[in-house]
Amino acid sequence: MCFVMVGCKYVANAYPRQFIMTAHPAGVGLVLSGTAFFTSVEMFYVVPMIFDPNGLMYKLAWLVAIFIVYNILGNMLACHRTSSSVASLPKDRQIPIPEEKHLWEHCDHCQMLVPPRSWHCNLCRCCILRRDHHCIFTASCIGHNNYRYFFWFTVYMTIGTVLALATYLLLLIINEEIRRKYMLFHFFQLYPSFLTSGIDLLCVLVNVLFVLNVYAFIFPLMMIAFQIPTLYLNTTFYTSKDLRYNLGFRENFKCLMGTRGLWTFLSPAIKSPLLHDGTKWETKQPIVSIC
Ligand SMILES: [Zn+2]
Ligand SMILES: [Zn+2]
C-alpha cells in the first residue's frame, strides 16, 4: 500500500494535470460503481436469502441500506463541493491582521502569505486551509471546510462494507448449500469435483463476490485508520507528529466537525458551523514569534 501511495505521489508531482484527468474519474467511478454494485448484490441477492422478502427485517434492511448509501454519496458530494482553499475566505481575511502576521507563512507558488496550517496543493494549484491531503475519491482537497464530510464519507464506507461482509458470513452460517459452494473454505474437497463435473458458475460467482467484499472492506478501513488519530489529536495526514493543536478530544472534535459535533453523523445536510474560518488556530501553548 505504501508503494502505491509513494507511486501516486510521484506521478501526481511529476504530471499533475494528467494525474487529475485520470485519477479523479477512476477514483470517483470506483466509489460510485462499487456502491451501486455492492448495494444491488446485497439487497437483491444476499439479504433475500437471509430474511423473508415480505417480512419486517427485509424492510428494515432496505432502510439501513438507503441510509448508508445516502450518507456515502451525500458526504462525498458535499466534500467535493465545499472548497477549503485560502481563496474561499472573504477578501479581508486573506490578508493577516498585524497581530497575526508572524504566524502566517509565505507560499512560493501563490506568492502570498497564507494562514497557519495552510499549505500548497500541486493538483489544486492553490493553498488549502488546514490541508489534510488530496483525495482522488472525492476529487477534491481535504481541508478545514470539508473535513467533516470526508470523515463521515470514510466512516459510512466502512460501515457499509462491514455490514455487507457480515451478511455474507451470516448467509454462510445459516445456508448449508451456499457453504458447500465456498471453494475458499473447501478448496481441496472441491477441486477434484471440477475434474468430474466442470466448474460451477454459481460457486465461482459467490466466491468472487466474497473476495471483492473483503477488498472493499479493507480499503475504507485503512482510510479510517488514518483519520481516527487525525481527528483525535487534531493533526493532519502529513503532520501526524505535530501535536501543538491538540486541545483534547472534545475540543478537537468540535473544532473539525463544527458546533453540532456528533449530530453531523446523521446527515451531510445538518448545518454545523465551524468554530472559526481556518485562519486562527489555538495551540496548547502560545506560539512565540522568533523575529
Ligand atoms: Zn500556495
Ligand atoms: Zn488538492
Side-chain angles (χ1 to χ4, degrees), residues 79-230:
C79 188
H80 175 74
R81 289 171 60 97
T82 309
S83 173
S84 290
S85 73
V86 174
S88 69
L89 289 167
K91 283 273 181 255
D92 60 324
R93 290 301 297 142
Q94 292 180 27
I95 304 160
I97 55 173
E99 304 88 78
E100 292 175 355
K101 198 170 180 181
H102 67 283
L103 298 172
W104 290 43
E105 285 177 18
H106 188 263
C107 173
D108 294 337
H109 301 277
C110 301
Q111 286 295 307
M112 62 186 278
L113 285 172
V114 292
R117 306 190 84 185
S118 304
W119 52 289
H120 196 81
C121 175
N122 280 338
L123 299 175
C124 298
R125 294 188 195 172
C126 63
C127 276
I128 304 293
L129 297 162
R130 191 198 157 268
R131 182 169 184 260
D132 194 88
H133 68 285
H134 189 97
C135 174
I136 59 167
F137 301 104
T138 59
S140 60
C141 234
I142 310 304
H144 179 63
N145 295 330
N146 59 358
Y147 183 79
R148 154 204 168 174
Y149 304 115
F150 175 74
F151 182 79
W152 293 129
F153 166 67
T154 56
V155 166
Y156 276 102
M157 290 262 285
T158 310
I159 292 174
T161 49
V162 164
L163 287 179
L165 206 54
T167 50
Y168 253 111
L169 293 175
L170 186 60
L171 183 65
L172 274 178
I173 292 167
I174 62 173
N175 191 318
E176 196 188 336
E177 193 195 346
I178 293 285
R179 196 162 62 236
R180 273 194 286 112
K181 289 179 186 298
Y182 264 78
M183 60 179 154
L184 289 174
F185 297 157
H186 303 283
F187 183 78
F188 293 106
Q189 291 95 320
L190 196 81
Y191 179 70
S193 76
F194 286 162
L195 302 175
T196 52
S197 60
I199 294 173
D200 181 345
L201 274 180
L202 179 64
C203 167
V204 174
L205 178 72
V206 163
N207 277 278
V208 168
L209 286 176
F210 182 76
V211 173
L212 283 177
N213 207 328
V214 171
Y215 276 108
F217 162 66
I218 290 172
F219 196 70
L221 190 70
M222 287 177 70
M223 284 163 72
I224 202 77
F226 278 111
Q227 290 308 320
I228 285 175
T230 296

